Amino acid sequence: MCIRDRFKQLNAPLSGVTPTATLENYQLSTNECYPGLGYLWSSTNTDISQTTPLGLWYTAGGQIAGLRIEVWGAGAAAGRQVSDGYYVSDGDDRWHMSVSFRASDVMCSGETDSEVVGDRLVINQDTIAKSIPMTSDAAAAAGFMPGSCMKSMGQHWMYDLEDAPSNSWVSGNLLPVVPMYHAPGAPEAGKINAFFFASPVCQGPNNEGADTAYSWDNVPSLLGCGLSPSSMCENFCATDCSTSLLPGTTNPWASSGTTHWATMHIFFNADPKEQPTCPGFSYLKNLDNPGAEVFHRTCPANTQTPNTDLNAVLDPNGHSSSSQSTVVAVVVVLTVVAIFVTASVVVYKKRQSTGPEDVVQQLKPTEKGGNTYDALSTQDPRFEI
């Protein structure tokens, strides 16, 4: 059974605090209900570990309450990510962070409600209680930086803990929860669709990457143990963050010593294979970026580097000069050379969205409840630093 189906069961209101039989690999980690968080469930075989770093929070009433992630390795959490209380140290180069989906006062009360998943995203609700904006308008008002849109994910919005709404390109200043919203022009424009956890160090067993369910995203092996800087830059649309695959491309996080990023995506929509879409996507606009073609990536108009069609190389009369034609030809050749990269990314995308080896977690509504995150009136959209 794929993770999509497992989380469909996980989202249904439950009696007691026992997940359904489809989550037989998880067990109650402790009988204690943590104020603001709930009851913690972890992997049956290894507890929370580098192989199974994702913990599940449940309310006393038996509803999914949030997620807990752990990261390992020197520099896996750094700078303001730690000093501002987002990643909490467990000692020995190990940190944890929780994201809650429900109000603090219901976690241990035994109450239930009609919201299948919840109505908010709050980081470490038991301590700093920092809310992630539930709409892209609220994200913009809070100083988040708009990035790329990718099919199934939506538009990424990053927050720099030091220089927002600008970007310091210091790894430890990136808010380690990156929300994604339906892009401008999409049917549900502005509504939250997903988020990913981030760490500036490869995760998985021995920090060598992950390829199992309920763990970090599995990336093509040619990229190494995690996302390379140019691959991480696919999430941005910024002049200082190049997606080029050519040797010598500048690493914007070089000053932090970051060579790879680990990410773990969490989706909230009912059709993650096809929705949301990215209006304005064109293969012609992405001939020099095979990864963008696979993920239908666009840079919306609200970004620093909005997409421009390669037709822009034509003169006002619609005729291309020989030099301009050469530019297009070179781009096409580079695309052909990158076919192998594209094929690898296709495998990556396929593993994200189908089959039991799927490593992209999904939380989606069921027939027993309303649409996820509809009760926005109960959520304070402010993101205060």
Side-chain angles (χ1 to χ4, degrees):
M1 179 179 291
C2 69
I3 283 182
R4 192 163 45 251
D5 295 328
R6 293 178 185 178
F7 272 82
K8 180 177 180 180
Q9 294 295 325
L10 186 152
N11 291 336
L14 309 171
S15 57
V17 293
T18 304
T20 61
T22 56
L23 290 174
E24 67 275 6
N25 292 328
Y26 270 71
Q27 65 183 359
L28 187 61
S29 180
T30 173
N31 288 322
E32 177 183 359
C33 186
Y34 292 84
L37 299 174
Y39 286 93
L40 181 63
W41 286 72
S42 60
S43 172
T44 302
N45 298 323
T46 61
D47 199 36
I48 292 179
S49 69
Q50 286 185 287
T51 303
T52 54
L54 188 68
L56 313 174
W57 291 109
Y58 279 86
T59 68
Q63 294 180 293
I64 183 66
L67 302 174
R68 172 183 164 124
I69 191 67
E70 299 222 9
V71 296
W72 280 260
R80 293 194 60 171
Q81 293 175 342
V82 177
S83 63
D84 287 5
Y86 294 96
Y87 275 125
V88 180
S89 176
D90 292 324
D92 299 324
D93 291 333
R94 177 177 174 177
W95 296 264
H96 73 268
M97 176 174 56
S98 293
V99 175
S100 296
F101 306 149
R102 301 181 189 275
S104 178
D105 58 1
V106 306
M107 297 302 190
C108 300
S109 69
E111 298 176 12
T112 61
D113 59 44
S114 61
E115 292 297 324
V116 181
V117 177
D119 59 5
R120 66 198 68 205
L121 293 176
V122 183
I123 301 174
N124 295 341
Q125 190 164 243
D126 58 330
T127 55
I128 59 173
K130 294 295 185 180
S131 296
I132 295 296
M134 302 304 290
T135 66
S136 57
D137 284 347
F144 280 65
M145 171 187 284
S148 71
C149 176
M150 297 187 198
K151 183 180 178 181
S152 298
M153 304 179 198
Q155 185 176 17
H156 300 71
W157 288 69
M158 281 63 65
Y159 189 90
D160 191 285
L161 295 167
E162 184 70 31
D163 286 350
S166 299
N167 201 320
S168 65
W169 304 110
V170 173
S171 299
N173 288 342
L174 177 67
L175 180 71
V177 174
V178 175
M180 287 155 267
Y181 307 89
H182 291 256
E188 297 184 85
K191 183 179 179 180
I192 196 161
N193 174 70
F195 73 87
F196 70 69
F197 294 112
S199 172
V201 168
C202 288
Q203 294 300 303
N206 300 314
N207 296 94
E208 295 177 349
D211 60 2
T212 57
Y214 298 98
S215 190
W216 297 87
D217 296 343
N218 179 30
V219 303
S221 58
L222 66 89
L223 296 179
C225 58
L227 293 179
S228 64
S230 60
S231 297
M232 184 65 172
C233 282
E234 295 281 8
N235 299 306
F236 294 78
C237 290
T239 54
D240 295 327
C241 204
S242 174
T243 61
S244 174
L245 300 174
L246 296 176
T249 300
T250 300
N251 173 6
W253 298 283
S255 64
S256 301
T258 299
T259 61
H260 290 84
W261 286 87
T263 59
M264 180 189 290
H265 286 71
I266 310 294
F267 292 138
F268 295 101
N269 65 31
D271 186 15
K273 285 187 178 181
E274 302 298 332
Q275 296 294 331
T277 57
C278 297
F281 170 76
S282 167
Y283 286 102
L284 183 61
K285 296 176 184 177
N286 293 288
L287 289 177
D288 60 338
N289 188 343
E293 295 198 349
V294 171
F295 290 106
H296 289 200
R297 176 182 181 269
T298 65
C299 285
N302 58 1
T303 64
Q304 193 178 93
T305 58
N307 283 111
T308 55
D309 199 305
L310 284 183
N311 286 337
V313 304
L314 298 175
D315 66 29
N317 296 320
H319 302 292
S320 61
S321 67
S322 59
S323 61
Q324 290 166 338
S325 297
T326 300
V327 171
V328 175
V330 169
V331 169
V332 172
V333 170
L334 288 176
T335 302
V336 173
V337 172
I339 286 178
F340 178 67
V341 176
T342 304
S344 298
V345 176
V346 168
V347 172
Y348 165 50
K349 180 177 175 65
K350 200 171 181 184
R351 294 186 70 171
Q352 278 188 316
S353 58
T354 61
E357 295 303 318
D358 185 347
V359 294
V360 177
Q361 331 311 325
Q362 184 198 11
L363 296 168
K364 73 177 184 179
T366 69
E367 295 178 356
K368 295 185 178 181
N371 291 331
T372 309
Y373 294 123
D374 279 347
L376 299 184
S377 61
T378 65
Q379 166 67 3
D380 183 352
R382 293 175 298 171
F383 187 83
E384 300 175 349
I385 298 299

